[in-house]
Amino acid sequence: EVQLLESGGGLVQPGGSLRLSCAASGFTFNNYAMNWVRQAPGKGLEWVSLISNGGGDSSYYADSVKGRFTISRDNSKNTVYLQMNSLRAEDTAIYYCARQTTIDYWGQGTLVTVSS
Amino acid sequence: DIVMTQSPLSLPVTLGQPASISCRSSQSLVHSDGNTYVHWFQQRPGQSPRRLIYKVSNRDSGVPDRFSGSGSGTDFTLTISRVEAEDVGVYYCMQATHWPRAFGQGTKLEIK
């Protein structure tokens, strides 16, 4: 059974940093690209970032986070990360980890709140 | 960037009746490999999203056959042949042909 378990969310002040993790199980992690998708409170879904499979040499970002967020993966730990720097109030959202380019599986999400 | 426009944004439906959601993109979503990467997701209240349809018209395993997807180029449709109570939630289209990926605004389906 495919499982994606996000962690690392919490309350952070504007301008601060946070690193999210997503632990994957139930499939061959190295074979799949991985995404982060977020959802602000009461709002719709926003794609954030994708990292390619294998060595993870390719990464892509939404314009809203480019230059502030960095996606990475550790295939030995079956984990994908999202390093978030220079956080803003508008980054407040539930952050979901999702598998592959066609987004076939989602995690349960982790809440990030950016507030002073 | 690609803009995905869904309509309607609110969809009250009587149980047992059909429902249809439109999704239009600002550019063609045909990939250079010949595929069209348009997917549909359902998000029930309080839950994570779940994929229903991938690449326009392919139903995911476990998805009832009352759900179907169609379309081409820039116009796509999700159809529910007979709405059931468990279908309440928000439906999103998404394009995965171009960078950056983009979701539609979401369509909230409720029972009339």
Side-chain angles (χ1 to χ4, degrees):
Chain A
E1 178 192 5
V2 172
Q3 291 194 339
L4 302 170
L5 186 61
E6 302 93 335
S7 60
L11 176 63
V12 60
Q13 292 189 339
S17 297
L18 211 55
R19 189 178 83 154
L20 306 182
S21 301
C22 170
S25 61
F27 63 99
T28 305
F29 181 72
N30 187 55
N31 289 350
Y32 290 86
M34 298 295 296
N35 301 267
W36 287 96
V37 178
R38 68 184 180 183
Q39 186 170 35
K43 302 297 184 183
L45 301 172
E46 179 187 15
W47 176 82
V48 173
S49 182
L50 176 144
I51 188 166
S52 61
N53 59 326
D57 290 331
S58 298
S59 56
Y60 304 85
Y61 299 92
D63 292 343
S64 58
V65 307
K66 201 173 294 182
R68 300 187 300 123
F69 290 10
T70 302
I71 191 170
S72 62
R73 64 191 296 158
D74 185 337
N75 292 327
S76 68
K77 296 182 178 179
N78 288 356
T79 300
V80 60
Y81 304 97
L82 187 67
Q83 177 68 43
M84 304 186 295
N85 298 330
S86 303
L87 283 162
R88 307 165 180 168
E90 54 265 36
D91 295 318
T92 294
I94 297 173
Y95 284 74
Y96 296 101
C97 168
R99 191 181 80 160
Q100 81 165 333
T101 56
T102 53
I103 306 196
D104 57 354
Y105 286 95
W106 299 68
Q108 88 293 341
T110 186
L111 177 63
V112 172
T113 303
V114 184
S115 174
S116 54
Chain B
D1 293 358
I2 303 289
V3 176
M4 303 291 281
T5 303
Q6 288 184 228
S7 61
L9 299 184
S10 178
L11 185 55
V13 184
T14 301
L15 287 173
Q17 292 301 302
S20 182
I21 300 170
S22 171
C23 178
R24 291 182 172 171
S25 63
S26 56
Q27 295 179 35
S28 172
L29 298 181
V30 180
H31 194 274
S32 57
D33 66 7
N35 289 304
T36 300
Y37 295 98
V38 170
H39 317 307
W40 289 93
F41 301 88
Q42 174 196 61
Q43 188 174 31
R44 290 171 171 154
Q47 295 186 12
S48 299
R50 161 202 183 196
R51 196 180 71 181
L52 300 175
I53 302 286
Y54 63 97
K55 289 194 290 184
V56 180
S57 59
N58 297 277
R59 195 181 310 113
D60 271 281
S61 175
V63 174
D65 61 8
R66 64 179 182 275
F67 288 92
S68 63
S70 63
S72 63
T74 60
D75 290 343
F76 305 91
T77 302
L78 177 71
T79 301
I80 309 172
S81 59
R82 296 172 306 280
V83 170
E84 297 189 5
E86 65 178 18
D87 300 336
V88 165
V90 182
Y91 293 79
Y92 297 91
C93 61
M94 176 203 167
Q95 71 82 16
T97 295
H98 303 288
W99 299 103
R101 308 313 198 202
F103 288 93
Q105 318 98 299
T107 295
K108 186 173 185 179
L109 186 148
E110 62 180 26
I111 303 301
K112 204 185 288 184

